[in-house]
Amino acid sequence: MMEMKIGFIGLGLMGKPMAINLIKAGYPLTVWNRTTSKMTELLALGAKGARSPKEVAENSDTVITMLTDSPDVEQVVLGPDGIIEAAKEGMVLIDMSTISPQTTRKIAEELSRKGVEMLDAPVTGGQIGAINATLSIMVGGKEEVYEKCRPIFQTLGKKVTYMGTHGSGQITKLCNQIMCVLNIQGICEGLMLGAKAGLDLNKLIEVLTGGAANSWQLANLGPKIVKGDLEPGFKIKTQQKDLRLVLETAAEYSLPLPGTALVNQILRIAEAEGYSEKGTQAAIKAMEKISGYRVTPT
Ligand code: NAP
């Protein structure tokens, strides 16, 4: 049995399989989720249930958060019944959510006053990566704290990289999101042209994943688009939250990101069409809407 007691807060699409992997690795785990029904599976696997983030922190040396957005992490860490209320010297908070680098630095500062260290450690690799423990993890914070937490990261992911001071992990993740959205847009446009010209789209994906257009998204989401499987591994509404963070951060640096801004608007069409809770592959629905041509069977 591992020595370090871990707390896990946020058992959504990503958090639940990540928490399961920690239990499987033998870590004593205390969990909390706002919607308590999502805790059931973890409790059945041997996790201890808490009634608040504060209670998670009382039972843990290291607390991991996997929540939606900046205000959610702020609330769970600094709010009433939050982690900070049970802060103790030497405790570590690892925030694996994608949130604003600025909020990350603010939370790290508040926690440091109580002797708590923070790492920002957002991930990429999708829900499949969370389930199979093959995530890429990009970490910001103090290097010695990162070294101490490395075994935890290695339980959750395959490629773990220390990026620099507080917020560096989040900045890295925003760069990732820019590359991802432009990639999915390219995939949708390629599939639209292939479909309209009468190609077999499964063959198209098969041959192109062997060449220069190959990508994680073409291999994983391309076949889902062809089948019309829009179920979320990563929701459009979560992607839009990330693009908001990207565009706000780019504005601070006075950096134009025309491609990202365009995809942000295209995804807004998908949201207006009712696909906000669907996976990012539902970007195809926006393309179908503006082209008047249907690729997906449903
Ligand atoms: P999700 O399925 O929507 O889960 C979000 C989790 O956050 C849920 O457990 C939710 O609780 C909790 N939460 C949200 N607001 C809260 C609040 N104010 N107080 C307490 N709990 C709150 O989202 P997800 O896909 O797992 O994403 C989680 C994070 O990982 C996001 O930052 C996302 O950008 C990032 N991420 C996701 C993926 C992916 O492929 N899905 C990949 C990389 C990174 P309830 O159950 O009560 O709603």
Side-chain angles (χ1 to χ4, degrees):
M1 206 45 134
M2 306 275 178
E3 287 294 302
M4 192 191 277
K5 289 187 286 174
I6 300 184
F8 205 106
I9 297 176
L11 304 169
L13 287 173
M14 297 294 284
K16 192 191 274 187
M18 290 164 73
I20 290 173
N21 285 333
L22 289 168
I23 290 223
K24 283 186 186 158
Y27 284 105
L29 200 70
T30 302
V31 297
W32 179 79
N33 194 72
R34 180 179 58 184
T35 308
T36 50
S37 59
K38 292 188 193 168
M39 289 165 55
T40 312
E41 198 179 333
L42 268 301
L43 301 186
L45 290 170
K48 202 161 139 182
R51 279 163 300 185
S52 65
K54 178 184 173 191
E55 203 179 303
V56 172
E58 281 165 356
N59 284 283
S60 311
D61 308 308
T62 299
V63 179
I64 299 174
T65 45
M66 194 50 169
L67 304 162
T68 311
D69 201 351
S70 316
D72 307 314
V73 178
E74 268 191 288
Q75 191 190 327
V76 161
V77 179
L78 306 176
D81 259 344
I83 293 168
I84 201 161
E85 290 190 7
K88 47 193 182 267
E89 191 80 27
M91 192 171 95
V92 177
L93 169 71
I94 305 176
D95 180 35
M96 303 193 77
S97 333
T98 305
I99 67 164
S100 125
Q102 297 84 340
T103 304
T104 296
R105 291 185 200 113
K106 179 187 148 197
I107 296 173
E109 170 74 33
E110 298 248 358
L111 287 174
S112 74
R113 288 200 206 109
K114 305 267 179 184
V116 177
E117 288 296 341
M118 179 175 176
L119 295 174
D120 47 303
V123 307
T124 180
Q127 194 192 28
I128 303 173
I131 294 168
N132 297 334
T134 54
L135 294 167
S136 276
I137 307 174
M138 43 218 101
V139 188
K142 288 187 189 150
E143 194 160 10
E144 64 267 25
V145 181
Y146 161 72
E147 288 298 340
K148 185 173 138 193
C149 295
R150 207 136 61 120
I152 298 175
F153 295 133
Q154 281 163 343
T155 303
L156 299 173
K158 206 161 65 174
K159 189 157 204 165
V160 186
T161 308
Y162 175 71
M163 297 303 298
T165 53
H166 293 296
S168 307
Q170 294 297 352
I171 296 272
T172 308
K173 173 69 185 183
L174 298 186
C175 300
N176 178 75
Q177 295 311 77
I178 294 169
M179 297 182 197
C180 280
V181 290
L182 288 162
N183 184 213
I184 191 74
Q185 180 62 19
I187 291 165
C188 289
E189 292 190 15
L191 290 174
M192 291 296 301
L193 178 62
K196 205 150 191 195
L199 294 181
D200 176 331
L201 295 185
N202 288 311
K203 280 189 176 177
L204 177 75
I205 291 170
E206 194 188 321
V207 69
L208 296 187
T209 49
N214 188 28
S215 66
W216 185 97
Q217 293 186 96
L218 181 59
N220 289 287
L221 301 181
K224 289 191 179 191
I225 292 174
V226 178
K227 272 191 274 178
D229 175 2
L230 303 181
E231 286 314 300
F234 185 53
K235 295 173 199 157
I236 287 200
K237 74 170 188 190
T238 316
Q239 181 66 278
Q240 290 290 69
K241 176 265 301 182
D242 287 359
L243 294 190
R244 191 197 78 235
L245 297 174
V246 168
L247 295 170
E248 281 171 5
T249 305
E252 276 176 34
Y253 289 98
S254 301
L255 182 72
L257 296 176
T260 308
L262 177 64
V263 183
N264 178 226
Q265 295 299 315
I266 291 172
L267 290 179
R268 200 166 287 168
I269 298 171
E271 289 185 294
E273 290 293 298
Y275 295 98
S276 181
E277 297 281 342
K278 296 296 181 188
T280 48
Q281 68 273 28
I284 196 70
K285 288 290 174 189
M287 291 308 296
E288 289 180 345
K289 176 78 181 170
I290 60 180
S291 67
Y293 184 75
R294 186 79 168 263
V295 170
T296 54
T298 50

